Amino acid sequence: MAEIALSFVIPVRNDAVRLGRCLDTIVAGIGGRDDVEIIVADNGSTDDSAATARARGATVLPLPGLRLGALRNTAAAAARGRILAFVDADHEIVLEWIPAAIEALASPRVGGVGAPCHPPTPGTWVQRLYDRLRRHPTRQEPVEWLGSGNMAVRRAAFEAVGGFDTSLETCEDVDLCRKLRGRGYDLLADHRMRNVHHGDPRTLGDVFFGELWRGRDNIRVSLRPPTSGRTLVSAAIPLANLLAVIAIAVGLLSLSTTGLWLALAAALFLLALVTMRAAVMLGAANVGDWPGALAVAAAYEAGRACAIAGRFSYRRRRTAIA
């Protein structure tokens, strides 16, 4: 039996159709190789997810009741490859993905490689604008963060940093990348590892609830050392937004001149921030869809701000956007 060079680790829960499409692209990329394996971590599915995976030659690990980080860690421990390829069930990859990952990780300096995802085609107007928040590489370039839905990691590096933090429900990939960089590893975005994410938000509600789910852990991870100006800003903006909303409410309820000026100042602050976020989307695409960009940016900022006020689990998010 050939030594396993790369192990795909795919978490799934009740997502048989998209899992099938994901596995079809992986199997096509494997071709005649015998040094790649596929492990599906089944988080208690009651649909045909497990059967779908086995029909395509994957090893299925029944792992009900675990968070994403624990799912991936457990499946990674069972994997045999020197490279761990984390791909989510709602992603599809291209034929060049596997050789690009193996080539990039041939350098001992590189701990992880991947690429930001693309929305499905044809996508909704929300998906097209939301995608403008990502920077898509046109070559291989260093980055600070890679998404765990489309990422390959050197196994030795993954084990050295203790894998994913299982106390996090989301943003565990941000934390993993921070730990890898702390160990001196480089992270690379590679245009050859293109992928399509069928889970991209389709509506403004999806954007809001997605950021509501991610927001709380985003702040937790952003405040972990080593901090930087960028991570501190990432944590500070949602808090500033929430305080601005509170200031607007207090100012309006006070029915005083001072209160109204306070509410106006807070509203202008929120408008400026949303406008800057929208400008990032429009500048990247050179598209004049200001109303749509402002709407997506407002939903994004509102979700992040509201996340501070309470816990919103992944299952509640799925129920909200179903």
Side-chain angles (χ1 to χ4, degrees):
M1 179 179 294
E3 179 185 3
I4 300 299
L6 185 146
S7 298
F8 279 97
V9 173
I10 306 171
V12 68
R13 178 180 170 82
N14 291 334
D15 204 359
V17 173
R18 295 192 297 189
L19 174 64
R21 292 199 299 255
C22 171
L23 292 173
D24 286 342
T25 63
I26 291 174
V27 170
I30 292 174
R33 303 181 68 119
D34 60 357
D35 60 347
V36 177
E37 67 175 357
I38 306 172
I39 297 179
V40 171
D42 184 10
N43 192 214
S45 296
T46 56
D47 67 354
D48 293 331
S49 292
T52 297
R54 292 190 182 98
R56 288 159 174 82
T59 298
V60 178
L61 300 181
L63 300 170
L66 299 182
R67 288 180 173 175
L68 278 172
L71 279 175
R72 294 191 182 106
N73 286 350
T74 304
R80 295 174 291 159
R82 62 178 183 272
I83 295 173
L84 300 171
F86 297 103
V87 174
D88 283 351
D90 55 358
H91 287 245
E92 294 180 22
I93 66 172
V94 295
L95 294 175
E96 298 84 3
W97 202 99
I98 295 173
I102 293 175
E103 177 188 314
L105 290 167
S107 169
R109 299 190 308 273
V110 179
V113 63
C117 56
H118 290 264
T121 302
T124 68
W125 67 270
V126 172
Q127 289 174 323
R128 292 192 296 272
L129 283 170
Y130 184 83
D131 183 56
R132 304 307 179 190
L133 293 171
R134 308 179 181 115
R135 184 180 183 278
H136 295 290
T138 57
R139 55 185 176 83
Q140 192 181 84
E141 57 188 51
V143 292
E144 293 186 0
W145 168 79
L146 297 165
S148 54
N150 185 64
M151 173 173 60
V153 181
R154 182 183 302 280
R155 184 192 192 94
F158 182 80
E159 294 177 344
V161 300
F164 292 105
D165 183 345
T166 58
S167 72
L168 297 170
E169 185 169 9
T170 182
C171 295
E172 72 284 348
D173 44 13
V174 179
D175 179 71
L176 176 67
C177 291
R178 185 188 302 274
K179 292 187 294 187
L180 289 171
R181 289 189 290 108
R183 287 290 185 115
Y185 287 104
D186 294 333
L187 300 175
L188 298 176
D190 194 315
H191 66 287
R192 296 171 297 172
M193 295 178 68
R194 179 185 172 95
N195 73 110
V196 173
H197 181 213
H198 290 278
D200 259 14
R202 296 167 297 169
T203 66
L204 293 176
D206 292 351
V207 174
F208 173 79
F209 286 111
E211 298 310 317
L212 183 62
W213 169 57
R214 279 184 286 270
R216 195 177 183 92
D217 280 345
N218 173 68
I219 293 177
R220 287 178 61 191
V221 172
S222 295
L223 294 177
R224 290 180 175 180
T227 57
S228 66
R230 180 178 178 180
T231 59
L232 291 176
V233 168
S234 179
I237 287 178
L239 178 59
N241 285 342
L242 182 61
L243 291 176
V245 172
I246 294 173
I248 292 172
V250 171
L252 293 176
L253 291 173
S254 71
L255 298 178
S256 66
T257 301
T258 301
L260 292 177
W261 279 111
L262 174 65
L264 177 60
L268 289 174
F269 168 80
L270 288 176
L271 179 61
L273 192 63
V274 168
T275 301
M276 286 190 290
R277 182 79 67 183
V280 170
M281 289 186 279
L282 296 180
N286 194 26
V287 176
D289 185 12
W290 271 102
L294 288 170
V296 172
Y300 180 96
E301 298 294 349
R304 285 288 172 104
C306 292
I308 302 174
R311 189 74 181 172
F312 195 84
S313 71
Y314 178 69
R315 290 186 181 182
R316 288 178 62 195
R317 169 182 173 253
R318 289 195 66 171
T319 300
I321 66 176

